[in-house]
Amino acid sequence: MPTDNTVAPYPDLSLTLTQAGTGRPCLILHGGGGPATVAGLADHLAQTAHTITPTHPGWDGTHRPAWLTGIDDLALAYLHCLQDLQLRDVLVIGSSIGGWTAAEMAVRDTAGLITGLVMIDAVGVHIEAEPITDFFALDARGVAEYAWHDSARFYVDPADVPAEQLAVRQANQATMRVLAGAPYMHDPKLLRRLRRIDLPTLLLWGESDRIVTPAYGAAYADAFGDGRLQVIPEAGHLPQIEQPAATLAQIDTYLRQVGGDSVNAQ
């Protein structure tokens, strides 16, 4: 059964973690939609791995200290968390801004704690020919059209969302704006740093993602020392939700290929 606990890498920052399973440690980083967007990934991997799924500070009512204002701050906090937990041979999986955070962790991982990297429709770099869609400028209908392959299925009318849940979503978006709003959804220095990452890196991309296109994903993958792009058909920005079987199959294959003995061999 998953257990919730906290780790404090700094005196004024406590990270809320959900942990489950045993085996190779797997840090799973959510995107702007919160921990629920990676719950399926965590449940799958917890069958054979030790999953650690944080709630980013400022999401879902958690505390964000005033100094934590960028994805680089978040990346360092998670690296220090891995050190405090005395974890090694860590697989990091990140979705959207979670993927960006994973990349920032990898370029700063001088201790070699991270040995595998999976990024799902990640933001974080500037690609001149493939600009990132301004998520903050989209209304609910626009989010559905840009983020999902099947927009009709996933569109949610804000009028139908309970007030308490809507307030949480708005607070999450406000936190995302603080961490990733300027410069918008990228670190200008990250792209040139990726070549120094020698980990086998899998980039999974929804074929219909219009927030960051597959062409953006291809350029991202090319910037790594050992990056590979796999496109998931009939999926948008969150293929782990829209096409979970195909997404999990790609992750399992990747982990078998790089020696992840703790992952399902289905």
Side-chain angles (χ1 to χ4, degrees):
M1 291 291 293
T3 59
D4 293 336
N5 65 310
T6 60
V7 172
Y10 310 113
D12 59 346
L13 174 62
S14 293
L15 296 172
T16 301
L17 310 178
T18 298
Q19 300 191 60
T22 59
R24 181 185 184 183
C26 178
L27 180 69
I28 303 174
L29 303 176
H30 66 78
T37 61
V38 293
L41 289 175
D43 288 345
H44 175 76
L45 290 169
Q47 297 174 43
T48 47
H50 171 202
T51 60
I52 305 129
T53 309
T55 300
H56 300 329
W59 263 262
D60 293 3
T62 57
H63 173 66
R64 178 186 63 82
W67 56 261
L68 202 157
T69 58
I71 296 297
D72 56 343
D73 294 325
L74 194 61
L76 283 171
Y78 286 138
L79 276 176
H80 294 154
C81 176
L82 296 181
Q83 292 171 348
D84 291 348
L85 293 171
Q86 299 184 336
L87 298 176
R88 302 194 67 83
D89 188 25
V90 181
L91 166 69
V92 182
I93 300 178
S95 170
S96 191
I97 65 166
W100 175 8
T101 307
E104 298 279 10
M105 291 178 68
V107 300
R108 291 166 171 78
D109 180 25
T110 57
L113 304 181
I114 300 170
T115 54
L117 192 60
V118 178
M119 299 166 60
I120 305 173
D121 291 79
V123 295
V125 295
H126 175 68
I127 306 299
E128 188 69 33
E130 296 293 334
I132 303 170
T133 295
D134 186 352
F135 176 84
F136 299 125
L138 299 175
D139 60 12
R141 182 68 68 181
V143 170
E145 291 176 355
Y146 276 77
W148 302 100
H149 172 78
D150 187 349
S151 60
R153 175 186 174 191
F154 288 97
Y155 168 70
V156 177
D157 188 334
D160 296 332
V161 178
E164 182 177 347
Q165 185 179 347
L166 188 61
V168 170
R169 292 186 181 185
Q170 291 170 342
N172 290 350
Q173 184 164 322
T175 299
M176 185 163 66
R177 190 184 291 272
V178 170
L179 296 185
Y184 176 70
M185 292 292 173
H186 77 283
D187 174 354
K189 299 179 179 180
L190 180 59
L191 190 65
R192 64 178 174 80
R193 293 174 172 172
L194 296 177
R195 188 64 57 187
R196 303 296 299 180
I197 299 175
D198 59 2
L199 304 173
T201 302
L202 175 63
L203 290 90
L204 295 176
W205 231 264
E207 185 178 37
S208 301
D209 189 356
R210 295 170 61 197
I211 302 293
V212 278
T213 66
Y216 176 98
Y220 213 154
D222 287 345
F224 282 90
D226 184 10
R228 176 167 58 90
L229 177 71
Q230 288 290 334
V231 176
I232 308 294
E234 298 185 9
H237 194 61
L238 298 171
Q240 71 271 21
I241 293 177
E242 209 162 6
Q243 295 295 338
T247 303
L248 294 171
Q250 289 287 350
I251 293 173
D252 288 350
T253 298
Y254 163 81
L255 289 172
R256 287 195 297 269
Q257 291 172 345
V258 301
D261 296 333
S262 65
V263 178
N264 295 341
Q266 296 176 352

